Amino acid sequence: MNFELNETQKMIQETARQFAQDELAATADERDEKELFPYEQIKKLGELGFMGMMVPEQYGGAALDALSYAIAMEEISAVDASCGVIMSVNNSLVCYGLTKYGSEEQKQKFLIPLASGKKLGAFALSEPEAGSDATNQHTTAVREGEFYILNGIKNWITNGVNADYTIVIAQTDSTKGHKGISAFIIEKGMHGFSRGKKERKLGIRSSDTVSLTFENVKIPIGNRIGEEGFGFKFAMMTLEGGRIGIAAQALGIAKGCLDAALKYSKARKAFDKPIAELQAIQFKLADMATDIEAARLLVYQAAVMKDLGKPYGKEAAMAKLWASKTAVKCALEAIQIHGGYGYVREYNVERYLRDAKITEIYEGTSEIQRIVISRAMLKD
Ligand code: CAA
């Protein structure tokens, strides 16, 4: 087993780390406070090739592997988890799905601008009554000649305010259960497509989240991804890759917490010495570092298995389950180490805790990850 990153992966890590320090660190707290979308920063991430990392060059992407993507996600999210999720949705839920399952026409029209960062994508699966129970879709797409007529509501859509293209999952034949679900690309400005008000969230507040409403939206048949009835499997297969991205985001948040806790504990004095010299603090730091390293190994394992073309759904679920738990735990410990300073906004560890919590919820809650893992184990 090789634990060394190759030269490209090291270069991606360094580039992402530098970008996070130079372009995100100074403004992350203010954007969180004011709930400002990072337009400039996302544009620059696009110019770096980070918005379509796994897309082949011929479709505007950086042609990198899933491990490089996970490494970049970790570094970006260690400083700004909101930028992390915007990048993750565009990369894994939109660009990857189109690369793997889109038609040539869809790749030319939608993937090239999405992968090069000129356009932004969103992925709309969740509904008011279909969160974890994703097969319970109420949004309908009824075929009329060369079009589908789309009606329904989608909830909690990351990038929903700013997306140019949104992949929407909808029921095309309610008699067939999950086999009657299909996937479509909806374009901004289509008649009957509207956005609700921006959600006010606990964390990742610099990213946007909205509900979407479709009232008789006329979608050309060419915007359907794959065959009719392929939508649920498309969503599940796309989410497997997405879970690596969110696991890497959680890993990044945990690393950000450890970096902050280390820095603070070396600088802060109590009982006539830096608190880093107190065993109570040292044990916390050791536990955080160990949990983070375990999370990193799980994330890397899932990414490498994806790159090798092996099944990786269980490994992606394990990585997300562990990394998200680690993010929350490390954020709490970082606050504890900072004491009162950790609880106020002067130091940014309270933002890390607010950002960490969502990683246990979106792209499948921790309970859903346990379902995926246990089903895979029992099937083996
Ligand atoms: N790959 C391919 N096919 C898959 C699959 C996978 N990973 N997982 C399931 N399927 C197939 C099954 O094989 C089955 O097909 P067949 O009948 O042909 O065998 C079909 O899909 C239905 O599967 P299940 O019977 O397992 O379905 P279920 O109702 O028991 O649900 C579930 C399975 C895992 C719980 C699923 O509903 C799920 O993942 N729920 C969570 C949804 C989720 O992650 N939402 C995230 C929203 S996006 C988001 O959060 C983005 C963001 O904001 C950042």
Side-chain angles (χ1 to χ4, degrees):
M1 212 178 280
N2 181 7
F3 287 95
E4 269 290 301
L5 300 182
N6 66 30
E7 288 311 310
T8 307
Q9 289 154 353
K10 282 185 201 158
M11 189 262 289
I12 293 295
Q13 188 172 50
E14 191 43 44
T15 306
R17 195 171 286 166
Q18 202 59 49
F19 179 87
Q21 283 312 320
D22 296 348
E23 306 285 345
L24 303 178
T27 54
D29 283 339
E30 189 191 356
R31 281 184 286 102
D32 166 74
E33 180 75 26
K34 297 185 178 162
E35 305 194 10
L36 301 174
F37 188 85
Y39 291 102
E40 273 308 303
Q41 292 81 353
I42 293 299
K43 187 164 168 269
K44 287 182 182 166
L45 279 172
E47 286 160 6
L48 275 180
F50 279 19
M51 294 304 278
M53 294 187 75
M54 294 166 287
V55 176
E57 279 173 9
Q58 73 196 94
Y59 298 119
L64 291 160
D65 54 15
L67 183 53
S68 299
Y69 164 58
I71 289 166
M73 273 297 299
E74 177 184 343
E75 295 300 332
I76 299 296
S77 305
V79 174
D80 185 346
S82 290
C83 273
V85 72
I86 297 164
M87 180 180 146
S88 178
V89 166
N90 201 71
N91 270 281
S92 19
L93 298 188
V94 183
C95 286
Y96 180 73
L98 286 174
T99 303
K100 194 125 176 54
Y101 306 106
S103 66
E104 185 55 33
E105 200 185 337
Q106 289 166 355
K107 288 178 188 171
Q108 293 297 332
K109 184 171 175 191
F110 304 116
L111 183 57
I112 292 176
L114 282 165
S116 53
K118 295 193 174 74
K119 300 279 183 193
L120 187 68
F123 180 85
L125 170 68
S126 303
E127 296 187 358
E129 291 173 65
S132 291
D133 186 8
T135 54
N136 189 31
Q137 294 286 310
H138 288 284
T139 298
T140 56
V142 177
R143 178 88 183 254
E144 273 187 16
E146 289 304 293
F147 293 90
Y148 285 88
I149 307 300
L150 186 70
N151 279 287
I153 298 173
K154 293 288 174 183
N155 261 20
W156 321 119
I157 307 307
T158 305
N159 292 353
V161 176
N162 291 290
D164 299 283
Y165 307 127
T166 302
I167 294 180
V168 177
I169 309 297
Q171 191 73 249
T172 39
D173 185 345
S174 60
T175 63
K176 292 187 181 160
H178 71 79
K179 291 193 167 76
I181 291 173
S182 307
F184 302 91
I185 305 159
I186 309 300
E187 301 168 52
K188 188 172 166 177
M190 277 182 161
H191 189 70
F193 173 27
S194 58
R195 299 164 168 88
K197 70 172 173 38
K198 204 169 97 171
E199 301 290 355
R200 303 210 59 210
K201 306 190 297 278
L202 175 71
I204 53 161
R205 290 162 46 150
S206 173
S207 79
D208 64 49
T209 308
V210 280
S211 59
L212 305 176
T213 303
F214 309 101
E215 285 178 284
N216 295 319
V217 179
K218 208 170 163 187
I219 321 165
I221 193 170
N223 283 30
R224 190 187 69 215
I225 303 172
E227 293 300 312
E228 207 177 278
F230 177 61
F232 191 72
K233 289 209 176 192
F234 168 80
M236 289 298 109
M237 291 188 283
T238 305
L239 275 166
E240 281 186 352
R243 286 167 187 164
I244 298 177
I246 299 303
Q249 182 200 25
L251 169 62
I253 295 170
K255 174 181 138 57
C257 291
L258 180 59
D259 292 346
L262 273 169
K263 188 171 164 204
Y264 182 82
S265 57
K266 285 183 204 161
R268 169 77 174 168
K269 285 197 173 141
F271 307 104
D272 296 326
K273 54 187 170 191
I275 60 170
E277 289 177 27
L278 301 172
Q279 202 175 51
I281 301 297
Q282 290 170 348
F283 281 11
K284 283 188 192 303
L285 295 172
D287 284 347
M288 287 165 82
T290 307
D291 286 352
I292 289 170
E293 208 50 51
R296 189 172 288 116
L297 289 172
L298 284 171
V299 171
Y300 282 18
Q301 170 181 253
V304 167
M305 287 180 77
K306 181 167 189 253
D307 287 331
L308 290 173
K310 293 184 184 293
Y312 65 94
K314 181 180 76 176
E315 288 72 17
M318 284 177 164
K320 184 178 180 294
L321 178 64
W322 181 258
S324 58
K325 187 162 51 169
T326 299
V328 172
K329 190 173 157 195
C330 286
L332 284 168
E333 288 295 54
I335 290 175
Q336 194 68 17
I337 290 169
H338 281 72
Y341 291 109
Y343 199 68
V344 295
R345 298 205 173 175
E346 190 181 340
Y347 289 79
N348 57 12
V349 284
E350 63 82 36
R351 168 165 64 86
Y352 283 82
L353 177 63
R354 291 187 286 103
D355 289 350
K357 183 58 199 168
I358 191 61
T359 65
E360 294 188 309
I361 297 172
Y362 57 24
E363 299 204 21
T365 60
S366 295
E367 291 72 18
I368 291 295
Q369 307 312 322
R370 291 184 176 97
I371 290 176
V372 172
I373 295 162
S374 55
R375 281 188 186 172
M377 285 162 57
L378 294 167
K379 200 174 74 182
D380 287 346

